[in-house]
Amino acid sequence: MTVPSVTLNNGMRLPQLGLGVWQVPPEEVAEAVSAAVDAGYRSIDTAASYGNEKEVGEALRRSGLNRGDVFITTKLANPDHGYDTTLRAFDASLRRLGVEAVDLYLIHWPLPDQDRYVSTWKALERIYAEGRARAIGVSNFHVPQLERIMEEGGIIPMVNQVELHPMLAQKELRRFHAAHGIVTEAWSPLGHGRLLDHPTVVDIAQETGRTPAQVLLRWNVRLGNMVIPKSVTPARIRANFEIFDFELSDGQTERLDALNSGTRFGPDPEEFRG
Ligand SMILES: NC(=O)C1=CN([C@@H]2O[C@H](COP(=O)(O)OP(=O)(O)OC[C@H]3O[C@@H](n4cnc5c(N)ncnc54)[C@H](OP(=O)(O)O)[C@@H]3O)[C@@H](O)[C@H]2O)C=CC1
Ligand SMILES: O=C(O)C(=O)[C@@H](O)[C@H](O)C(=O)CO
């Protein structure tokens, strides 16, 4: 199955679907990455705080894929905000991953009460200028924080990775992203697994002959978002990849859209201190 690409505002193309590895213990991540690569995934989303960068890097090297054929995203951990600390933390991520450059580097959380995300962003701009991250972006940023780094920095973020599923559709944020050429990337697209037994999702899965996870991922992909479902179960990893050979009807999409209630399964970025 061919995965469509999304094009970032610097012209770089990234697969629309990748594997997320939050809460995958280091000793289990190789098997998940290997199952994903075998299924056709070419994009892995990790983070310094996930504690599995080293094992992700090792698994990708063992996969036999050329470095240029796989996309690695990692993220700056919250305690490392600040210009110099970011540069050091980035070097440590590269060392753990065993690569000379990452494909996408993100500020993991804005931590508004610390108010250091602008200097942190400037460090990411330097890393990008040095060619050590092929793209840079943020995660869990709201409009005022995006506006500030766009005003005080020199580069428009290429991606904002946020919680996004039918119960948290992020309409305002997506409108802002679209207006400024920022790609939206959806984390917890299955609601951390908690949307899989929602009656509307289950009904649409029955109507389409697909799984609830495939329905939720297809809804996200239809919006044009990048999406990074997590699984450690090879059969689920494979099934989550099989979403580009069917469509949801307009009516099914509207029923999923109607679930939007602002419900978060993860932390509120305005409050999260990590
Ligand atoms: N930037 C940020 O702040 C954040 C980023 N993320 C990223 O997003 C990724 C995905 O989000 P996450 O919160 O992990 O949750 P998801 O919404 O991807 O759900 C993962 C859960 O769903 C289960 N699951 C996956 N596929 C299926 C399936 N086909 N059928 C049934 N169950 C399934 C998994 O179980 P099992 O593994 O046992 O198969 C797991 O329990 C993370 O791994 C991480 O990379 C997540 C949170 C915050
Ligand atoms: O997975 C991530 O990328 C996160 O930042 C979350 O795990 C976050 O730390 C959280 O949900 C804590 O409850």
Side-chain angles (χ1 to χ4, degrees):
M1 190 153 308
T2 308
V3 177
S5 298
V6 294
T7 304
L8 308 186
N9 63 29
N10 67 348
M12 179 178 165
R13 289 160 69 86
L14 274 168
Q16 198 175 7
L17 176 73
L19 179 76
V21 295
W22 175 39
Q23 293 181 316
V24 183
E27 63 279 10
E28 286 178 33
V29 87
E31 193 184 338
V33 169
S34 162
V37 167
D38 289 349
Y41 290 70
R42 293 294 178 267
S43 170
I44 308 291
D45 180 84
T46 184
S49 67
Y50 298 173
N52 55 22
E53 287 177 308
K54 178 169 173 282
E55 292 74 14
V56 166
E58 286 167 357
L60 288 174
R61 277 191 295 285
R62 272 201 306 274
S63 72
L65 291 175
N66 292 324
R67 174 67 189 92
D69 292 333
V70 63
F71 295 83
I72 304 175
T73 298
T74 195
K75 314 184 195 86
L76 176 84
N78 290 341
D80 294 322
H81 272 226
Y83 190 84
D84 291 330
T85 39
T86 295
L87 295 177
R88 282 197 293 274
F90 178 73
D91 287 342
S93 276
L94 284 190
R95 272 198 302 277
R96 284 191 294 270
L97 286 161
V99 295
E100 290 182 358
V102 295
D103 298 285
L104 177 61
Y105 194 49
L106 306 177
I107 303 177
H108 205 144
W109 291 86
L111 310 178
D113 57 331
Q114 285 193 19
D115 197 19
R116 287 190 294 166
Y117 57 85
V118 174
S119 59
T120 302
W121 179 247
K122 289 185 178 174
L124 263 67
E125 292 184 336
R126 172 169 162 182
I127 288 164
Y128 178 67
E130 292 169 347
R132 298 192 304 144
R134 295 177 61 212
I136 51 172
V138 294
S139 176
N140 300 304
F141 275 46
H142 287 162
V143 168
Q145 296 144 1
L146 289 169
E147 284 176 332
R148 199 159 152 224
I149 58 171
M150 286 160 61
E151 276 163 26
E152 298 185 39
I155 296 178
I156 295 176
M158 290 146 205
V159 171
N160 188 15
Q161 183 186 110
V162 294
E163 181 176 352
L164 205 164
H165 42 68
M167 292 184 82
L168 185 67
Q170 302 274 21
K171 285 188 187 172
E172 183 202 347
L173 201 49
R174 283 193 287 114
R175 263 195 301 273
F176 184 89
H177 291 169
H180 295 278
I182 300 169
V183 166
T184 305
E185 182 168 35
W187 62 254
S188 289
L190 312 177
H192 204 53
R194 288 160 66 185
L195 279 175
L196 294 167
D197 57 3
H198 190 288
T200 303
V201 178
V202 171
D203 283 352
I204 295 173
Q206 279 164 0
E207 289 162 21
T208 53
R210 296 291 174 146
T211 67
Q214 289 171 328
V215 167
L216 289 164
L217 296 172
R218 187 69 220 177
W219 174 87
N220 229 309
V221 158
R222 185 177 156 129
L223 294 175
N225 302 333
M226 277 165 54
V227 65
I228 44 170
K230 172 264 180 184
S231 179
V232 292
T233 314
R236 292 175 175 173
I237 290 171
R238 286 192 292 276
N240 293 349
F241 194 75
E242 304 290 321
I243 58 165
F244 298 104
D245 59 350
F246 81 108
E247 295 282 356
L248 297 172
S249 68
D250 290 345
Q252 288 163 338
T253 302
E254 280 163 21
R255 280 152 65 201
L256 291 166
D257 290 345
L259 303 184
N260 187 25
S261 55
T263 303
R264 292 183 186 277
F265 297 105
D268 182 338
E270 295 303 321
E271 291 162 11
F272 190 60
R273 287 164 179 78

